[in-house]
Amino acid sequence: MTVKWSDQELLAWKPPEKLTVSEWADKYRIMDEQTSPLPGLWKTENTPYLREIMDTFNVPHIQEVVICKPTQVGGTEAFNNIVGYIIDQDPSPTLVVYPTLEMAEYTSDKRLQPMFNLSPALMNRFLRDKSKRLELQFIGMYLALAGANSPASLASRPMRVVIFDETDKYPPYSGKEADPISLGVERTKNFYNRKIYKASTPTLE
């Protein structure tokens, strides 16, 4: 009996390439002309200081990375490259936390979904019909987007990877719950290979 596999099943069984995050980005990430001064294929050589940050994802013993950065240096794009790598090479439940729910919605519409549509490696895995604005479905995983000001969006669900963007703009507490960073980190406690990223431009001198 001959078994006919669907394209999604074949993609799910496809072994990952031996690439770091920065190598994956150089090969597959395409920048949108509406949001990037350098549209087209991503080149890590243009922002070499991001290479080590991105490639910490490929170092097994590193679980937590903290980044203090100035504005407009590509930090968010480095996180987007990590997200793209996870989707294509290492599918894992992933949460990205923004300062507000409105910023999470904007990023989904204007940054992330256009990124998926531009890269064939990501578009082939994106399950658009099954996705919601703040919960994007892919073959083998989902990507949740949350606002630090919304306890509901940080609700209990297991996550291997959590990315906190612009943490200095987070409220000290998420509603009546604990602080949003503690709530997000709690989601990773069952994963031995968890990854936690925290980044921000300082808001205090």
Side-chain angles (χ1 to χ4, degrees), residues 24-38:
W24 178 90
D26 287 338
K27 187 174 181 179
Y28 293 115
R29 176 76 194 280
I30 299 174
M31 303 300 294
D32 187 346
E33 63 181 8
Q34 294 184 355
T35 58
S36 172
L38 297 172

Side-chain angles (χ1 to χ4, degrees), residues 13 30 46 48 83 89 94 113 141 149 155 157 162 173 186 195 203-204:
W13 284 98
I30 299 174
N46 292 330
V83 168
Q89 299 291 317
T94 299
Q113 294 190 58
M141 65 165 284
N149 63 339
R157 47 189 167 179
V162 178
Y173 300 99
E186 182 71 10
K195 294 286 185 178
T203 57
L204 298 175

Side-chain angles (χ1 to χ4, degrees), residues 5 20 24 45 59 62 64 75 80 125 136 141 151 154 164 173 177-178 182 185 187 194 200 202 205:
W5 300 96
T20 63
W24 178 90
E45 65 184 28
V59 183
I62 295 177
E64 185 170 345
N80 290 344
R125 290 183 169 272
L136 304 168
M141 65 165 284
L154 293 165
F164 299 98
Y173 300 99
E177 306 285 342
S182 295
V185 170
R187 306 283 73 81
R194 69 180 182 173
S200 190
E205 184 178 0

Side-chain angles (χ1 to χ4, degrees), residues 63-140:
Q63 286 199 343
E64 185 170 345
V65 178
V66 179
I67 305 159
C68 178
K69 64 181 182 65
T71 60
Q72 300 298 311
V73 293
T76 297
E77 294 302 341
F79 283 159
N80 290 344
N81 288 340
I82 291 172
V83 168
Y85 176 92
I86 293 168
I87 293 167
D88 187 41
Q89 299 291 317
D90 192 7
S92 309
T94 299
L95 171 67
V96 185
V97 183
Y98 300 95
T100 66
L101 204 57
E102 292 75 18
M103 188 175 292
E105 292 172 342
Y106 173 85
T107 303
S108 176
D109 293 341
K110 302 298 185 182
R111 304 293 290 272
L112 291 174
Q113 294 190 58
M115 178 180 87
F116 306 147
N117 293 331
L118 281 172
S119 171
L122 301 177
M123 183 173 60
N124 291 337
R125 290 183 169 272
F126 185 26
L127 305 176
R128 180 178 297 279
D129 293 342
K130 297 181 180 179
S131 295
K132 299 178 182 178
R133 197 177 191 185
L134 296 179
E135 190 165 298
L136 304 168
Q137 301 288 336
F138 302 86
I139 295 173

Side-chain angles (χ1 to χ4, degrees), residues 51-64:
R51 185 185 305 277
E52 185 176 5
I53 293 171
M54 292 189 287
D55 291 348
T56 56
F57 188 86
N58 304 105
V59 183
H61 70 268
I62 295 177
Q63 286 199 343
E64 185 170 345

